[in-house]
Amino acid sequence: MSDHINELYDKDGNLVGALLTAEAWAVVRDQVMSALGVVETPVEQERPEPISEWETLKEYWDFQYPVDVDVACENCGNSTEDWTADDPRLFRLTSANLAGLVAFTCTQCRAKITKRHFKDKVTTECAPYRDSKITRKEGRY
């Protein structure tokens, strides 16, 4: 066939699909999507905040310090003493888990603020928003 296309067959020899290289997909993507009637949803579709996960973290809070609700963005200077009380939100909760990892998105500059809650301290990281992917972090097969 081609270096850009690998046909996939089941154990009986029936064609079940095809695997395209990134270069081939870039060339035929629009035609394939149109032919199949696939309508893309916007990438920026906002998911609801995972408040139930935040509540679960608070319910099982066993750290030596009180629940911290302050958030600050090192990128643009946006900050709040209580992100839960802000209306409108200055920071959107994007994830929270029982291990103490909590992440926010700054509504002003879209930076990602990550808070890691350890037994005796909290560490905070701020990563600026990137419009495109970092290619060295992409999976290659």
Side-chain angles (χ1 to χ4, degrees):
M1 176 124 292
S2 165
D3 290 339
H4 294 284
I5 303 169
N6 286 314
E7 292 182 336
L8 307 172
Y9 297 91
D10 67 9
K11 64 179 178 152
D12 298 323
N14 300 316
L15 181 65
V16 294
L19 184 63
L20 303 176
T21 63
E23 295 85 17
W25 181 244
V27 172
V28 300
R29 181 182 190 279
D30 292 336
Q31 293 98 350
V32 170
M33 299 294 263
S34 176
L36 296 176
V38 177
V39 179
E40 292 185 81
T41 56
V43 175
E44 293 291 323
Q45 188 174 20
E46 219 172 74
R47 296 185 311 195
E49 291 180 293
I51 298 296
S52 62
E53 283 83 356
W54 171 253
E55 293 299 327
T56 301
L57 174 60
K58 288 187 347 186
E59 182 180 337
Y60 290 95
W61 193 270
D62 62 351
F63 300 113
Q64 298 173 357
Y65 47 87
V67 175
D68 67 324
V69 290
D70 62 312
V71 183
C73 178
E74 297 170 2
N75 195 49
C76 68
N78 200 11
S79 68
T80 182
E81 293 298 317
D82 184 357
W83 69 269
T84 61
D86 293 337
D87 188 26
R89 291 256 202 249
L90 299 177
F91 298 92
R92 290 195 78 255
L93 179 68
T94 56
S95 68
N97 65 37
L98 277 176
L101 179 64
V102 182
F104 301 90
T105 300
C106 177
T107 57
Q108 187 169 315
C109 69
R110 297 169 57 183
K112 180 178 181 178
I113 296 90
T114 306
K115 296 181 89 170
R116 291 179 173 88
H117 298 85
F118 296 101
K119 182 174 80 170
D120 56 350
K121 66 179 180 176
V122 179
T123 62
T124 304
E125 292 178 11
C126 181
Y129 173 76
R130 294 197 192 297
D131 205 18
S132 61
K133 291 183 178 181
I134 300 171
T135 56
R136 63 182 164 77
K137 292 187 176 182
E138 289 182 5
R140 302 274 183 205
Y141 301 97

